[in-house]
Structure formats: C-alpha cells, structure tokens
Amino acid sequence: MKSQLTHNLSEILPDVADEIAVAFDETLDLTENEWKCVPVLETVEKVACRAGNRAFVGYPLCRDSDWIELNTQLTNSIVKEGLLLSLFPKFMMPLAARFATKTTDRVKRGAQHLAPIITERLKHMKAYGKSWNDKPDDFLQWCLDEGKETSADLLAARMFAINFAASHTSSNTFAQTLYCLAANPQYVQSLREEVQTTIGKDGWTKEALAKMRKVESFLKELQRFEGNASLGIKRRALKDITLSDGTFIPKGTYICVASHAIHRDPRIYDDPDVFDPYRYTKLQDEQGDDSRYQLVSVSPESLMFGIGKAVCPGRFFAAMMLKLMFVHVILSYDLRLGDISYPASVCMGPAIVANPSAKVMLRRRCDE
Ligand code: HEM
C-alpha cells in the first residue's frame, strides 16, 4: 500500500476529486441558494468513505450503498466487538470471537460485492496481460497484479483493513475542519483566493495542492489543535531500555506518548491553546524550511500521523484527500455555525472524536 498508493497519487487524484464532488452533491442535496442544516459527521463519513473507496476498489463499487454502509460502520463495530472480546480470558478469545464478533458475516457480505469484479478483472488479465485500455488503477487491482491474493474473502478482509485505518481518521479530522471553518468564516476569502490562483495556474494537480500553503497550514494546525487521540504511538518494549534521562523501561512494558499534550505544550508552540490557521505558513516564512511544516511531515513535536517504523503509511493519500475535500467545500459552499456555539470534540478514553451530533448551516456559494 505504502509504495503503490503514494506513488500513484497524481494518477488517482482526478478520480478522487470527482468522487468528492459527486458525493458532496448527492449527500448534501442542496436546493439552489437555500441554507440547509447539515449533520456534519454523518455527511463527512459518507463523502470520505466514497472518496477513499474510489482509490481502494474503484467505480462503481465506491458508490454502492451497501458497501459504503459496511465500511462507514466498520470502525464502530470493530471497536465495540473488541471491547466485548476483551472481557473474556485470553484462552477463550478464539472461541468467543466466533460468537462475539461479526467478522465472518462482514467478510462474506464484502466478498459478495467483490467476487464479480475480481472475476471480470482476472478475465481481462488473462486475455490482455499486464495492461489494457481503461485498466482500473486502484488498490484492488494492485493486489491482483501482485498475484498473491485472488480470493474474494481474502481481498474483502484486506479492503476492510485499509478502510478501518483510513475512514474514521480522515472523516474525524475533516468533521473537525468543517466545524472550525464554519466558526471562523473570516478565513474563507483568503483561502479561496489562494485556491483559485493556484488552480488557475496549475490546474487540479498534485503540484497545485502542494503550493496551497494556507490550506496546508490550516489543516495541519487543525490536527495539532484538535487531533484524533490524546495518546498515540502505542508500543511494547521488546527488551530492557534505559532512556537518556535514566528512565528504565523493563522488557514487556506497554508505553504510549501523550501526543495531544505535546501539541499543546507552550515550550514548543507559542500560544498553543489558540487556533492560529496560518501558524505553519508563518513558521515556514520565518525559518525557510519548507518540508518540516508540511501536513505529512512528522517529528517529535508533530505526532498527528505517529512517528518511527509504524508511522502512518497512508498519510500522503490522507493529506491529498483532506485537501481535495477542503478545497471543494471552500470553492462550492458558504457555511456558518447557525445558532449553536462551537461544537467541541468529545473525549472517549484516549480517543478525541469530532462532535457526533452537531450540525452546520450550508448553502451553495453565492458570491461567484
Ligand atoms: C487524517 C487521517 C489519518 C490520520 C490522522 C492517521 C493517523 C495514524 C496514526 C497516528 C497511526 C499510528 C502511527 C504510529 O503508531 O506511529 C496510523 C497508522 C496507520 N495508518 Fe493512518 N491516519 C490517517 C489516514 C490514513 C489513511 C487514509 C490510510 C490508508 C490509506 C491509513 C493507513 C494506516 C495504516 C495501514 C496504519 C498502520 C501502520 C503500521 O502499523 O505499520 N491512515 N495512522
């Protein structure tokens, strides 16, 4: 996934952008120029899931309502099933998993969607070899090209694994972004200007997205300010370790990092409790170091995508998708909070979840 998805970003960008536009249009179902009260998390979950699946399984499965329902519910279902399973002693888990989880049903349901697509694609591969006109360019095809897995069950499980990693994280971040944008309409004009100028020069390309410094900074600051979890980088020590300050960590210890506290640490960030959308643009201007402040860059101070060996391999795709969704919203809609105050994220254990029930007011953009 790491190499194929990241190396093919330029090729898949037009499809993902198309899916985002159609998915927003169909999900929002706006009437000309009228404000509509929109449930944010529910809307964003559908759009992000469709956009991701355009790159994972391609069109038309990415628009199938049952496939989308399966994948949008995946995170919730797996987390609930995992909690239930954790109540059993370790030796009983394999047996309990058969009754307490719906993994088998889920894979069966997913495989029913994938089986006819796989059969069709294998037929083409047999007839035309490695390439043919309109050959799909998606994660499913890359798996088939590798030739290791062709069974619908195995590939369904693989598609669920990537959806599990991609869907909740992306939609949670983007729901937080929409709340923030609706609460801060004063930033919309300057963001629109940057987007229009860049797209005017470079078109809808990966290079254009890379040049949108305000968009990039807004999204990175949002991740710093809100985030998906208060604790991250969960690891287990495989041997005794003594840190440079003398702290001893015995083999077998589970450790994690207080990432949210680091993102709000005044020794690292000026005014850390203030949302400053252009914080990273300013840092780039001051320090002239482009790459350190990119959305995908990680460092001990910037842990939104983790760090080290297990750093999020989907972050390049995630950054592209977040930017495309953000740009689409900025160019297409006006939005405001309505009568509610800022919908704060909710803490569930270490998870930071975008407000699950808040709505924002949205209408088609009126000033064009
Ligand atoms: C805003 C969106 C996303 C955020 C904030 C995010 C964040 C993270 C974090 C914090 C980790 C753990 C890293 C660590 O332990 O050091 C992770 C792992 C992972 N992410 Fe993401 N992620 C996002 C989107 C995606 C997407 C879109 C994909 C797939 C296309 C993806 C695939 C993965 C995978 C496969 C892992 C496990 C890596 C491993 O264990 O080796 N993520 N992500």
Side-chain angles (χ1 to χ4, degrees), residues 1 5 165-166 169-170 173 223 228 235 304-307 310 312-314 318:
M1 178 190 83
L5 192 59
T169 43
S170 305
T173 305
Q223 280 194 310
N228 282 323
R235 305 282 189 267
M304 303 78 157
F305 288 110
I307 198 165
C312 174

Side-chain angles (χ1 to χ4, degrees), residues 18-39:
D18 171 66
E19 198 56 45
I20 287 169
V22 179
F24 264 119
D25 205 36
E26 288 179 5
T27 313
L28 290 173
D29 193 23
L30 297 177
T31 318
E32 208 56 42
N33 293 345
E34 274 181 27
W35 286 101
K36 184 170 179 181
C37 195
V38 174

Side-chain angles (χ1 to χ4, degrees), residues 1-2 5 52 55-56 161-174 223 227-229 231-235 259 295 303-319 321-322:
M1 178 190 83
K2 195 168 161 183
L5 192 59
F56 305 153
I162 195 172
N163 268 285
F164 179 72
S167 281
H168 167 75
T169 43
S170 305
S171 47
N172 198 52
T173 305
F174 199 64
Q223 280 194 310
N228 282 323
L231 301 174
I233 338 258
K234 294 166 190 141
R235 305 282 189 267
S259 42
L295 191 50
L303 297 164
M304 303 78 157
F305 288 110
I307 198 165
K309 250 190 186 170
V311 63
C312 174
R315 67 194 187 285
F316 298 91
F317 178 73
M321 195 163 76
L322 288 172

Side-chain angles (χ1 to χ4, degrees), residues 122-230:
L122 289 176
K123 255 193 226 160
H124 274 78
M125 289 166 75
K126 202 169 169 200
Y128 306 113
K130 280 188 181 157
S131 71
W132 63 90
N133 264 351
D134 299 330
K135 182 179 176 189
D137 199 3
D138 53 39
F139 185 56
L140 177 63
Q141 186 60 46
W142 305 330
C143 291
L144 291 175
D145 285 343
E146 229 179 63
K148 286 187 193 150
E149 289 168 0
T150 51
S151 115
D153 280 5
L154 277 179
L155 285 166
R158 192 161 287 284
M159 296 307 136
F160 289 151
I162 195 172
N163 268 285
F164 179 72
S167 281
H168 167 75
T169 43
S170 305
S171 47
N172 198 52
T173 305
F174 199 64
Q176 291 169 335
T177 307
L178 280 196
Y179 290 138
C180 184
L181 198 62
N184 294 286
Q186 70 274 23
Y187 298 121
V188 171
Q189 194 47 36
S190 66
L191 288 161
R192 270 181 190 158
E193 280 166 15
E194 178 183 79
V195 170
Q196 276 161 341
T197 312
T198 322
I199 287 179
K201 274 192 205 145
D202 295 292
W204 284 92
T205 56
K206 198 176 135 204
E207 290 68 34
L209 291 185
K211 286 182 189 166
M212 294 176 191
R213 294 173 72 227
K214 287 183 180 167
V215 167
E216 179 119 12
S217 179
F218 192 109
L219 289 167
K220 193 171 179 78
E221 171 71 348
L222 190 280
Q223 280 194 310
R224 180 198 70 81
F225 191 69
E226 297 260 14
N228 282 323
S230 53

